[in-house]
Amino acid sequence: MKTKYLVGVFMCALAWQSQAMSGPRILVPDLAPASILGEKDFAEFKALRERLEADSAMSLTDEQRLFALTTKAVTELESKAGFKNTAGAQHPWSWGLYLLGSAAFNYGSSLYDAKREAEALTTLDVGLAATEKCVHTKSGDASFHITPCRFMKGSLTSKIASINGILSALSKAKGVLDEWTSAADGDVDLVMSKTHTLKASANYALGLFYRLVPDLWLVNMIFDVRGNLDESVRRHQISTKIQSENACYLYGEYTSLVCRSQKRSRSDDMSLADKVRDHVAALKAESTLLARCKISVKKISEDPKMACGFTGAKQVNEDEANKIGK
């Protein structure tokens, strides 16, 4: 099984190397500094990272352990280096801050799904602090680029705000939009797992953003953002073009198509959405995240009226948005 996985990673690397010759620079996180954990913990850290990157199923305990080990490695490296969290200071492991943000996002999202909201918010806050530190400090690692940290900062901000409610989400929306757009339209990419890349994930996130943010002039005037279903569908289709076997990217396209078909009575959108739904149903989703997205597609197919406000966390209520400023 491990040999098969390594062959897959090698083939994936070759494909991305070929793309890099004419496309974005492909980033590879440096895991070596985490060896500060000691031989046993470092081996466990790498094994958990390998499972994550293979989109293998991970339990809540696995996600908690990866979060804890990443936190420990970052903390010990900072202590050893005498790091002071000031703007422009050089961080001893900038990639670690990105990896900590990612681990916090995954674990915090799973805690929220397990109806442990307080713990989820605490975990997500740790990840957000790490990514904020990442974007304000310097790195001495030539392999590092700030874009993955910006993307993860936007994702954590959005997740926390979505849990806290629509006004919180809208107050953070412009910053999140900027972070995600920089990743989606930038000149670097990152293979996050065998079915997730940075650019595809950023376009997927923007697709969600343009579906969920209300398309209202008052919202635009107050918060400097506005929903756009055409842009939502376009961004989702960019992500599914990059990776057509990812249930989450397909969930995004499916939900936006269903929403637009309702808003504009477009039968062609619904026909395409049905094809996407059937494709998702046929996919094998081993990881918790991908399985969750398959379930979301099923929920929408059973109750299409939910589509425009569906997040997988809290349902966005358009009536709340319409009351803003009244």
Side-chain angles (χ1 to χ4, degrees):
M1 183 70 175
K2 187 171 183 179
T3 301
K4 184 177 180 181
Y5 167 67
L6 290 174
V7 170
V9 170
F10 176 70
M11 295 302 292
C12 182
L14 285 178
W16 282 98
Q17 183 180 41
S18 175
Q19 179 182 343
M21 294 174 66
S22 57
R25 170 189 166 198
I26 309 303
L27 305 172
V28 180
D30 181 15
L31 304 183
S35 62
I36 196 171
L37 292 168
E39 185 175 348
K40 183 180 178 180
D41 282 352
F42 184 46
E44 184 182 6
F45 169 79
K46 289 192 295 182
L48 288 168
R49 287 291 317 170
E50 183 176 291
R51 289 178 60 191
L52 180 69
E53 291 162 10
D55 285 329
S56 298
M58 292 182 70
S59 67
L60 191 63
T61 300
D62 293 330
E63 291 181 344
Q64 189 278 334
R65 185 60 177 159
L66 180 57
F67 171 68
L69 287 170
T70 311
T71 302
K72 183 180 178 182
V74 169
T75 302
E76 290 190 2
L77 283 163
E78 289 179 347
S79 177
K80 183 179 179 180
F83 173 76
K84 303 296 183 183
N85 186 20
T86 56
Q90 183 166 306
H91 195 272
W93 189 31
S94 295
W95 274 121
L97 295 173
Y98 160 73
L99 295 172
L100 178 52
S102 175
F105 183 86
N106 292 336
Y107 179 46
S109 297
S110 295
L111 282 170
Y112 182 79
D113 288 344
K115 304 187 186 309
R116 294 162 62 178
E117 182 172 307
E119 293 174 81
L121 286 170
T122 297
T123 301
L124 294 167
D125 281 338
V126 171
L128 180 58
T131 57
E132 288 176 335
K133 187 186 297 183
C134 184
V135 301
H136 291 116
T137 55
K138 294 180 179 179
S139 174
D141 184 351
S143 75
F144 176 75
H145 196 281
I146 198 173
T147 296
C149 278
R150 291 192 65 185
F151 167 73
M152 194 53 63
K153 177 174 177 277
S155 299
L156 286 155
T157 301
S158 176
K159 188 71 176 181
I160 293 167
S162 69
I163 292 173
N164 288 333
I166 188 168
L167 284 174
S168 175
L170 287 173
S171 69
K172 304 290 186 180
K174 183 61 169 65
V176 169
L177 177 63
D178 291 343
E179 303 291 17
W180 284 343
T181 302
S182 74
D185 298 340
D187 58 0
V188 298
D189 206 349
L190 172 69
V191 180
M192 302 164 77
S193 77
K194 70 179 182 181
T195 64
H196 289 81
T197 70
L198 179 65
K199 277 188 168 293
S201 294
N203 277 287
Y204 160 79
L206 287 170
L208 294 181
F209 182 97
Y210 283 111
R211 171 172 60 85
L212 294 170
V213 171
D215 183 8
L216 298 169
W217 70 267
L218 189 57
V219 168
N220 186 43
M221 183 178 74
I222 298 172
F223 300 105
D224 197 24
V225 292
R226 187 164 189 167
N228 184 324
L229 281 175
D230 291 336
E231 183 65 3
S232 174
V233 171
R234 186 182 81 85
R235 288 291 186 173
H236 279 307
Q237 290 180 336
I238 291 174
S239 71
T240 55
K241 184 176 181 180
I242 295 172
Q243 178 48 265
S244 62
E245 301 301 302
N246 182 302
C248 291
Y249 299 159
L250 291 162
Y251 143 73
E253 181 180 359
Y254 172 74
T255 308
S256 281
L257 285 168
V258 173
C259 178
R260 192 170 70 174
S261 74
Q262 293 173 355
K263 293 283 188 180
R264 302 181 187 171
S265 301
R266 290 178 54 153
S267 59
D268 54 334
D269 276 348
M270 203 61 228
S271 296
L272 181 55
D274 288 343
K275 292 179 181 178
V276 174
R277 177 201 62 204
D278 293 344
H279 181 42
V280 172
L283 290 177
K284 182 179 180 182
E286 294 183 6
S287 77
T288 303
L289 177 61
L290 294 174
R292 189 186 302 140
C293 290
K294 284 194 68 172
I295 292 170
S296 293
V297 169
K298 188 172 184 295
K299 285 182 178 178
I300 296 299
S301 69
E302 292 172 349
D303 188 2
K305 291 181 181 179
M306 295 170 56
C308 292
F310 188 84
T311 70
K314 290 187 177 179
Q315 189 76 11
V316 175
N317 188 334
E318 289 188 69
D319 290 338
E320 292 180 35
N322 288 328
K323 292 176 183 176
I324 294 173
K326 293 182 180 179

